[in-house]
Amino acid sequence: MSAGRSGGSARERRQGLWLTLLLLPLALLWLAPLYLMAVFATQPDEAILSASVPLRPGGELLANLSRIVEIARFDRALANSVLVALAYALLSAGLSSLAGYAFARYSFRGKGALFGLLVATLTVPYAVVIIPQYVLVARDLSLANTLIAVVVPPLFNALGVLFMRQTFLGLPQEIVEAARLDGASELRIFLRIALPLVRPALAALFIILFLASWNNYLWPLLVAPDPAARTAPVALGSLITVNSVPPWGALMSGATLMTVPMVALFVFLQRQFVSGITAGAVK
């Protein structure tokens, strides 16, 4: 019996080794543009535009960072991005949790039709709604060039609601019923029992929403193009114009400054992220 187990474990190790060797070139291919971006962030524009592509870091990182702060107010834009992404992820995750819990645990009139409408919104292209949404926010509500206009309109996230619904469906109903028999209110059950039990899934949803807001470009570009209100992606995009050569060193330094924290966040939280995604997929 022990020989069979050791043979199986050895076979699994060999399979894992071959799989690692197979995926390693793909990982290096994915990491190559990130490495070049980080290298270009430390080079002057002349080296980046030269025929021989620099593959080693240079010494112009601080100069490029100072340059992008000067010409694009990137420090303000980066602070706006952090504020917008945190607010959006927290509020949208909270709303998705509330709606998902209601769809999973309550029966009410029109639930099926409302859930069907929720699913139907996933088939509507974003390009169809962005112009009416812009007219409503910028013209009717006069909220253009405000962080509220960047955060609030995209808060409804149908995928987040569906994800949390499936997660709450996996909770044992007996726990909720026992809390109700003990006299706990519905809000207390949601906050003290349901949410702590789905913490990994909620953390995974928060990471997804944060990254989506952090990388969002089109909506902030439309509704908040003012230098005082724009986010980091919009600030980087403003450096690329038709009539001038972009400052590639400064551009790459800003892109690196945006990318490194997100990559580090995912590397350190990948176990919780995968655990949350897996938990949310089980009913």
Side-chain angles (χ1 to χ4, degrees):
M1 190 63 144
S2 60
R5 290 179 180 177
S6 61
S9 61
R11 190 183 307 111
E12 291 176 356
R13 286 195 297 269
R14 287 196 300 269
Q15 291 175 352
L17 178 60
W18 283 112
L19 183 61
T20 301
L21 293 176
L22 178 64
L23 294 179
L24 184 60
L26 296 177
L28 294 176
L29 184 64
W30 181 83
L31 290 173
L34 297 180
Y35 175 76
L36 287 178
M37 177 184 66
V39 170
F40 289 169
T42 65
Q43 298 287 345
D45 292 351
E46 296 78 13
I48 297 174
L49 298 175
S50 64
S52 58
V53 178
L55 298 178
R56 295 181 180 180
E60 297 294 320
L61 178 60
L62 294 180
N64 287 332
L65 289 175
S66 299
R67 189 178 178 191
I68 195 174
V69 168
E70 179 183 353
I71 63 179
R73 299 180 64 180
F74 194 70
D75 52 343
R76 177 67 178 269
L78 200 61
N80 288 341
S81 281
V82 172
L83 182 60
V84 166
L86 281 175
Y88 173 76
L90 287 172
L91 292 175
S92 187
L95 292 175
S96 298
S97 299
L98 286 168
Y101 185 78
F103 277 118
R105 292 302 178 182
Y106 295 122
S107 296
F108 50 89
R109 182 176 299 178
K111 176 181 176 180
L114 190 59
F115 185 74
L117 180 62
L118 173 72
V119 175
T121 59
L122 296 174
T123 65
V124 180
Y126 186 56
V128 174
V129 301
I130 191 169
I131 298 303
Q133 182 174 281
Y134 173 78
V135 172
L136 174 64
V137 172
R139 187 190 67 184
D140 299 337
L141 299 179
S142 300
L143 291 175
N145 291 314
T146 64
L147 296 185
I148 294 177
V150 181
V151 173
V152 174
L155 280 180
F156 172 74
N157 191 287
L159 281 176
V161 175
L162 293 176
F163 177 71
M164 293 309 298
R165 173 184 177 269
Q166 292 304 115
T167 302
F168 284 122
L169 283 174
L171 293 182
Q173 182 65 22
E174 294 79 9
I175 298 178
V176 177
E177 294 298 334
R180 287 173 180 164
L181 291 176
D182 289 340
S185 64
E186 294 298 323
L187 182 60
R188 185 181 180 87
I189 293 173
F190 174 73
L191 295 176
R192 298 295 182 88
I193 297 176
L195 281 185
L197 290 176
V198 299
R199 190 177 301 167
L202 191 61
L205 179 62
F206 176 86
I207 295 173
I208 293 172
L209 294 173
F210 186 91
L211 291 177
S213 178
W214 184 264
N215 295 321
N216 193 11
Y217 177 76
L218 181 57
W219 176 246
L221 174 65
L222 287 177
V223 79
D226 187 81
R230 62 190 179 190
T231 57
V234 178
L236 288 181
S238 68
L239 299 178
I240 302 177
T241 61
V242 177
N243 300 322
S244 62
V245 178
W248 290 112
L251 191 66
M252 291 296 103
S253 66
T256 302
L257 200 60
M258 283 191 62
T259 303
V260 170
M262 296 301 99
V263 173
L265 178 67
F266 183 79
V267 168
F268 285 111
L269 298 180
Q270 60 178 325
R271 183 171 300 177
Q272 291 83 350
F273 179 79
V274 173
S275 175
I277 292 293
T278 306
V282 177
K283 178 180 176 181

